[in-house]
Amino acid sequence: MALDVKLETKTSASNVKIGIITLSGDLDASTAPAFKAEVEKAANEGAKRLVLMLSGLNYMASAGLRVLIFSKQKMGTDADIYVVAPQEGVLDTLDKTGFIQGVILLEEDEPEKYEQ
């Protein structure tokens, strides 16, 4: 299955730029560049919070993990990354690799948590 990647940017009530990336499909070596491009776009637009909507992401290969690591670096140390509603297989991958320790996990979309 292909990957669908959509970026939406908004500004929070406290004037913080937020990049919301919605992923659906499979994130592998052939689709990771599209995800990386959206992360770069969010960072270039000054986003200080990156929200990854993962409820539609069915599979994530190591190439996807590399882009997640890249996103932590690209966004900077003062940026928050939210992982929203990952499917069980994706969550398991994030947990086993330890990546989950560096993000804020939300079991469902709770804009009040990242739009403050």
Side-chain angles (χ1 to χ4, degrees):
M1 177 183 239
L3 180 72
D4 186 31
V5 184
K6 294 178 185 164
L7 171 64
E8 172 190 357
T9 55
K10 55 173 51 177
T11 303
S12 73
S14 58
N15 208 30
V16 175
K17 286 215 174 205
I18 304 168
I20 302 171
I21 299 177
T22 303
L23 300 167
S24 58
D26 295 337
L27 181 54
D28 56 26
S30 66
T31 58
F35 176 34
K36 184 178 180 185
E38 296 304 306
V39 169
E40 288 178 325
K41 192 183 300 181
N44 291 339
E45 291 178 9
K48 291 298 178 191
R49 293 187 187 139
L50 184 64
V51 180
L52 304 175
M53 306 296 237
L54 302 185
S55 64
L57 188 64
N58 302 318
Y59 169 78
M60 181 170 46
S62 61
L65 286 169
R66 284 191 295 275
V67 176
L68 289 175
I69 292 166
F70 166 81
S71 69
K72 293 275 295 172
Q73 296 167 343
K74 184 72 175 174
M75 298 301 294
T77 56
D78 60 336
D80 292 322
I81 297 180
Y82 294 79
V83 172
V84 179
Q87 292 187 26
E88 188 174 330
V90 173
L91 180 59
D92 189 50
T93 299
L94 295 173
D95 188 41
K96 285 180 178 175
T97 59
F99 186 80
I100 202 72
Q101 302 301 318
V103 299
I104 300 163
L105 177 66
L106 300 176
E107 292 183 18
E108 59 186 43
D109 188 15
E110 302 175 70
E112 64 276 4
K113 300 241 172 135
Y114 55 81
E115 289 184 1
Q116 320 170 15

